[in-house]
Amino acid sequence: MVPLVLTYLERYPQVHIDIVTEGRLVDVVAAGFDLGVRSRDLVPSDAIAIPLGRERRIAAAASPAFFEHKPIPKVPQELLAYPCLRGRLPYGALLRWRFEKDGEELKLDVDGPITLDEASLARIAAMNGVGIGYFMEGDVREDIAAGRLIRILEDWTPPLAPLCLYYANRRNSSAAFQAFIALARDFAAGRLVQP
C-alpha cells in the first residue's frame, strides 16, 4: 500500500485519504468505506478485487540467544515443549499456529509466558529471548537477514494468499476514487514506479 498511497498523494495533493486499520473483518460498504484490503481468500464474492503484491508467508522465529541451550525444533509438534509468544486476535480468540507440509496441515495451540495482540511487541519479545514467535514474514525479514532472529520450520510455512484491494461495484463513483482504482491497477500490473 505504501507506494500506491504515496504516489496517489503526490499526483493528487488536493485529495485527502483517510486510512483506518482494523484487525477484524469489516463490511466496508456498511461501514461507509470506499474500499478495503484483505487476503484474497477473504474478499467477498460480490466485490471487485485488485491484487496488491506477491504471496505472503509466515515465519516462526526466535533470537539466537534463545537457542543457545535448546535444540532448534525440526517439526511443529516440538513447539509444544518450548515457550512461545501467544497471539490474540482482534475478536479476542487466541491465534492457533498453522503449519503445512506435503499435504499435512497442523494447527497448534502453543503455550508461553506472554500473550500479545500486537506483532511489533511480539517481535521485541522474540528478539529479547522471551520465546518463539509466529510472524508475517515481512515483519521480521530484516531481523532474520541481520541475524537478530533465527527462522525455524521454514519448510512448514507455505505461501498465504496475497493481499487484495477490494471494493463494491460502484456506478457513480467520484473522480478521486476512479483515479485511485486506476493507479491500483497500474500497481498490480507492475507499471507503477515507486516515489
Side-chain angles (χ1 to χ4, degrees):
M1 287 293 293
V2 172
L4 176 59
V5 170
L6 293 180
T7 301
Y8 184 83
L9 289 172
E10 184 179 276
R11 290 184 186 178
Y12 306 100
Q14 71 282 9
V15 177
H16 175 84
I17 294 179
D18 186 357
I19 297 175
V20 176
T21 59
E22 177 66 55
R24 62 186 173 87
L25 294 179
V26 173
D27 180 340
V28 294
V29 174
F33 296 108
D34 291 319
L35 45 89
V37 176
R38 280 191 189 173
S39 177
R40 180 181 59 208
D41 54 341
L42 297 176
V43 172
S45 60
D46 61 344
I48 298 168
I50 302 170
L52 285 178
R54 62 180 190 247
E55 291 181 326
R56 304 163 299 137
R57 290 184 61 160
I58 293 294
S63 70
F66 180 83
F67 289 119
E68 279 181 6
H69 303 291
K70 298 176 187 76
I72 294 176
K74 302 292 185 225
V75 294
Q77 297 89 329
E78 291 177 8
L79 293 171
L80 298 175
Y82 286 79
C84 295
L85 307 173
R86 300 180 80 183
R88 186 167 305 282
L89 297 168
Y91 53 89
L94 292 174
L95 174 68
R96 297 180 77 201
W97 292 15
R98 182 183 164 270
F99 296 96
E100 183 182 333
K101 182 178 180 180
D102 300 328
E104 180 184 0
E105 185 176 334
L106 297 168
K107 289 185 180 178
L108 298 177
D109 290 315
V110 297
D111 198 10
I114 191 168
T115 301
L116 301 159
D117 68 350
E118 173 56 48
S120 63
L121 297 175
R123 179 182 156 269
I124 292 167
M127 287 198 301
N128 282 282
V130 175
I132 298 171
Y134 187 80
F135 306 97
M136 292 304 300
E137 181 183 57
D139 292 343
V140 293
R141 185 178 289 121
E142 291 177 12
D143 297 314
I144 292 168
R148 292 184 294 268
L149 290 175
I150 296 172
R151 185 174 190 165
I152 63 171
L153 303 170
E154 187 170 1
D155 57 333
W156 280 88
T157 56
L160 303 169
L163 292 176
C164 288
L165 182 73
Y166 72 99
Y167 58 97
N169 189 3
R170 299 169 56 158
R171 296 186 195 279
N172 299 317
S173 55
S174 69
F177 179 83
Q178 291 174 15
F180 191 84
I181 295 303
L183 198 61
R185 291 190 188 287
D186 285 345
F187 178 79
R191 297 185 297 261
L192 181 62
V193 178
Q194 294 188 20

